[in-house]
Amino acid sequence: ESSVPVTITSDSTTSSPSSIGASTDQSSVSAELLPPLGTVWYGSRQMVARVSLTGEGGKDQRVIAVTLHNRGSSSGNDLQNFYLETTNGVRVSDIIPAMDNRSVRIPLDASFVLSGRETKLLNVRADKRSSVRRTLRWELEESSDVEVQEVRVR
């Protein structure tokens, strides 16, 4: 697996998304980190970010995991029970109990595949256990934050 040396980070509360790319031999997946659709309040299953994944190069790609890094003031147990879901509300990942320091790696279901040049938008959800004053500023830092594997046809 080779990496794409493209990393653009920004505050997820602004309209400028964070972008990154990961690739295999012939194809790649680009990821855009987008802000949530509204304020992240105290409570269960809050949308804390969105991730847009796009297959490039025409081959099917399995997205193994996405790692997000928080540069805001929320940390530790401020956020719990992370998972990814489709825009239709279907969970497509494991539930991760807590951040590891200020990062969270969210493995996706083995069935989550980007077909060819497909784009899928995912919601990042978590239980927020702190006040709205504790900020979130998510980043994708490097290409290894999006783990991909080419789907081999047998």
Side-chain angles (χ1 to χ4, degrees):
E1 186 175 311
S2 60
S3 62
V4 177
V6 176
T7 305
I8 305 166
T9 58
S10 66
D11 187 326
S12 67
T13 60
T14 68
S15 59
S16 306
S18 173
S19 302
I20 201 161
S23 69
T24 59
D25 293 339
Q26 306 260 329
S27 296
S28 63
V29 171
S30 64
E32 237 183 327
L33 190 56
L34 304 167
L37 294 174
T39 302
V40 181
W41 300 103
Y42 178 93
S44 298
R45 298 181 303 278
Q46 297 295 304
M47 183 189 301
V48 297
R50 296 175 298 146
V51 179
S52 176
L53 300 168
T54 301
E56 298 173 354
K59 295 198 177 187
D60 292 355
Q61 300 286 319
R62 178 179 168 310
V63 181
I64 298 166
V66 175
T67 300
L68 304 175
H69 306 275
N70 182 31
R71 301 298 175 235
S73 62
S74 289
S75 64
N77 288 325
D78 291 345
L79 295 164
Q80 302 171 356
N81 301 319
F82 288 86
Y83 64 95
L84 295 169
E85 69 176 16
T86 65
T87 55
N88 294 334
V90 176
R91 186 168 56 86
V92 293
S93 74
D94 294 345
I95 295 175
I96 304 305
M99 287 188 283
D100 180 10
N101 194 9
R102 292 184 175 271
S103 298
V104 61
R105 180 181 179 273
I106 307 172
L108 280 86
D109 297 343
S111 62
F112 188 83
V113 172
L114 291 173
S115 300
R117 301 183 188 283
E118 179 180 29
T119 296
K120 291 185 179 180
L121 181 62
L122 300 176
N123 298 323
V124 181
R125 295 215 177 252
D127 300 342
K128 181 137 191 241
R129 299 296 178 223
S130 62
S131 76
V132 73
R133 289 186 298 261
R134 299 286 294 206
T135 61
L136 301 172
R137 191 172 55 115
W138 297 106
E139 295 178 352
L140 295 168
E141 292 183 344
E142 52 193 53
S143 61
S144 63
D145 287 342
V146 180
E147 300 169 42
V148 298
Q149 180 180 51
E150 185 176 317
V151 175
R152 305 265 183 215
V153 179
R154 294 182 185 189

